[in-house]
Amino acid sequence: MTPKIVEAYGVRLRPFRLDDTADVVAGCADSLTRRFISGMPSPYTEADAHWWITEGAPAAWAGGGAAYAVADPATDRLLGGVGLSQPVPTRGQAEIGYWVTPGARGLGVAQAATRALTEHAFATGVVRLELLTHEENTASQRVALAAGFRFEGVRRAANPSRGGGRHDLLAWVRLADDPAGPTPRLLPDLPGGHLTDGTVTLRRLGPDDVDLMYGLHTRPEVVANQAPPVPPDRAAIERRCRLAESQWLTGDIARMLILDAASGDPAGSCGLSLSDAAAGEGTIGYALLPQWRGRGYATRAVRLLAGWAFGPARLARLAAATVPDNVPSQRVLENVGFRREGLLRGRLPGLAGTRLDDLVFGLLPEELR
């Protein structure tokens, strides 16, 4: 590719200029930018911005990539940057990346710039584009989906972390003949951010829910009904909460908190995983804190979850399973309309090499009570 001004979707892509220096510093010195883009100098100074404008960006073009300033078409003021790197001409492949100044976030700039450069790249011979995101950078993951990129998998330990060590990257890919987007979601967002029947409310699990989730899922009676019956460590719960939104966006699992609608107090947790996306099947699970048991909250939560699964999530079947002696959980499922479908002997791992039976239930849309 060669530098060419591109105007599309309400943004202008143009070469960087020296009068962009202050805005480049504002964008690249920002903590959020530095958190998710490795190799960024810290602190980021005017000298760094000057080097990028006069040497770094031109080098990207010379190496077969691209380095565009993203500007407001009305004022030509810098809003961010977007570019192509890691070009592999023999494969028609490149990697797309971007950053946005703090004042331009939330305005759709990253999405617009990504769409504009993607279409320009395809028009000039690129066949496959990759967009790699930090596993916690859900804003970029939403940009990828909005721009027509599909989740392709995890690149384990693909990027160095600022504090040492390495972290995973999620790979989002769009081909030249893919639909323009947005990419259909396997697990859509909850309408209005929550589900409620007036008594119980469900909302997405988040990073601030660690203490609650650790307390709930290390309770002896909750652990006893897990397979294997071993309590999770706190680090595992912290990771579960941090990555809840990302795993929802990739279509892996929708994790939710169960709340008392009147007070907003947490009552438990539930979730829906896609056990067989191609067949339209999901699997649900749930747990309640002791003070909320016996009030019908689990039944209400499962009913809300099933209604969302059969509605916006467009699933055709739900499955659930319990250990055979977990009678209270079985009653919850039956109250919602689930039917017992069989006993899978020795299906689950127990303690000390033992195996546990699994009692399986199924629910079809017309059976939901």
Side-chain angles (χ1 to χ4, degrees):
M1 295 181 67
T2 56
K4 176 184 177 182
I5 294 177
V6 177
E7 288 201 24
Y9 304 110
V11 295
R12 173 181 295 153
L13 309 187
R14 60 162 174 78
F16 283 93
R17 303 189 302 250
L18 283 175
D19 60 354
D20 294 324
T21 299
D23 289 324
V24 171
V25 172
C28 295
D30 179 70
S31 59
L32 187 62
T33 303
R34 290 187 289 105
R35 178 186 177 193
F36 292 128
I37 299 180
S38 62
M40 192 78 72
S42 181
Y44 194 95
T45 66
E46 285 192 9
D48 296 313
H50 187 275
W51 174 88
W52 169 251
I53 293 168
T54 60
E55 297 184 47
W61 289 103
Y68 275 111
V70 182
D72 182 338
T75 64
D76 209 33
R77 176 76 180 268
L78 186 81
L79 303 175
V82 65
L84 301 177
S85 62
Q86 312 299 330
V88 185
T90 56
R91 297 181 181 176
Q93 177 178 305
E95 180 182 325
I96 189 167
Y98 50 83
W99 55 268
V100 177
T101 60
R105 290 178 188 151
L107 303 177
V109 171
Q111 177 185 329
T114 300
R115 294 176 67 190
L117 182 53
T118 293
E119 293 179 8
H120 181 59
F122 288 154
T124 53
V126 175
V127 176
R128 172 185 165 93
L129 280 176
E130 293 188 349
L131 197 165
L132 304 180
T133 70
H134 190 290
E135 57 187 351
E136 295 180 34
N137 190 353
T138 54
S140 274
Q141 293 163 31
R142 289 182 179 275
V143 167
L145 287 163
F149 286 72
R150 303 180 188 181
F151 177 63
E152 194 168 87
V154 178
R155 293 192 175 180
R156 296 183 302 144
N159 216 38
S161 298
R162 282 196 169 273
R166 302 183 68 82
H167 62 261
D168 297 343
L169 291 175
L170 305 187
W172 306 82
V173 173
R174 183 172 161 190
L175 305 181
D177 56 359
D178 280 343
T183 301
R185 294 262 302 276
L186 294 174
L187 294 171
D189 289 326
L190 300 180
H194 68 277
L195 303 172
T196 188
D197 63 1
T199 300
V200 165
T201 295
L202 306 183
R203 62 120 166 122
R204 189 181 67 233
L205 189 70
D208 295 333
D209 299 321
V210 174
D211 289 342
L212 169 72
M213 289 290 286
Y214 184 68
L216 172 62
H217 289 279
T218 54
R219 293 192 62 82
E221 71 277 14
V222 174
V223 172
N225 291 307
Q226 299 175 168
V230 177
D233 60 29
R234 189 175 179 88
I237 295 294
E238 289 175 349
R239 180 173 174 79
R240 182 184 303 180
C241 293
R242 286 200 319 272
L243 299 185
E245 183 178 1
S246 177
Q247 292 176 336
W248 197 309
L249 293 172
T250 59
D252 181 28
I253 185 170
R255 301 186 191 273
M256 307 180 199
L257 274 193
I258 304 170
L259 308 173
D260 174 59
S263 65
D265 292 338
S269 71
C270 63
L272 167 69
S273 60
L274 293 181
S275 45
D276 190 336
E281 180 184 82
T283 301
I284 68 166
Y286 48 91
L288 280 185
L289 291 164
Q291 62 269 35
W292 298 99
R293 296 171 191 162
R295 304 188 190 187
Y297 275 46
T299 298
R300 288 177 176 273
V302 171
R303 186 178 292 119
L304 284 168
L305 186 57
W308 175 76
F310 291 140
R314 304 179 302 278
L315 295 184
R317 167 184 161 82
L318 286 178
T322 76
V323 293
D325 59 356
N326 188 357
V327 175
S329 188
Q330 295 161 26
R331 287 175 178 164
V332 167
L333 294 172
E334 290 168 345
N335 286 340
V336 175
F338 280 82
R339 299 183 185 181
R340 298 186 186 212
E341 295 185 338
L343 180 68
L344 303 182
R345 295 176 300 146
R347 178 176 179 269
L348 303 172
L351 295 175
T354 61
R355 303 293 297 182
L356 304 173
D357 295 342
D358 203 17
L359 187 58
V360 179
F361 292 75
L363 180 70
L364 303 180
E366 63 270 18
E367 297 167 345
L368 177 60
R369 296 177 185 170

